Amino acid sequence: DFVVSGTSSSSSLDDTAITNDLKEWYHALRNTKAILLHCIAVGLGMTDDPNFFVKLHNENNDALRLLKYPPGNVTTGNRCKEHSDY
C-alpha cells in the first residue's frame, strides 16, 4: 500500500515518525483526489453516478515522489532542462 524507498541511514530524524507523517499525507492526498473527482462528476451533471470518476481512479497505483536536489548557486543557471518524469 505504501512503500518508502531510498531513505538515508545518516538521517538524524526519526524514520518511523517521517514514515508515519508521509503515510498520513499520502492518504490525505488520495482522499483529496476522490473528493475532486466526485466534484467534477457532480459539476458535469452526472447525478446518476457521482462517483463515476472515483471508481475509475480507485486502483492503488498512485505515486508520491519526494525529490531532493542539491543546492545550486548563482553560476548554476537553469537546472531544469528538458526532461520527463515517468
Side-chain angles (χ1 to χ4, degrees), residues 22-68:
L22 288 175
K23 283 182 182 179
E24 185 179 331
W25 187 37
Y26 174 80
H27 291 295
L29 290 173
R30 283 184 54 95
N31 238 5
T32 301
K33 175 186 76 173
I35 292 167
L36 289 172
L37 291 170
H38 177 87
C39 290
I40 289 169
V42 170
L44 291 172
M46 300 173 71
T47 55
D48 56 323
D49 189 4
N51 289 316
F52 177 81
F53 296 118
V54 174
K55 290 185 280 186
L56 286 177
H57 295 273
N58 202 19
E59 296 175 9
N60 196 18
N61 62 358
D62 299 315
L64 173 63
R65 292 179 56 201
L66 304 176
L67 304 175
K68 180 180 178 184

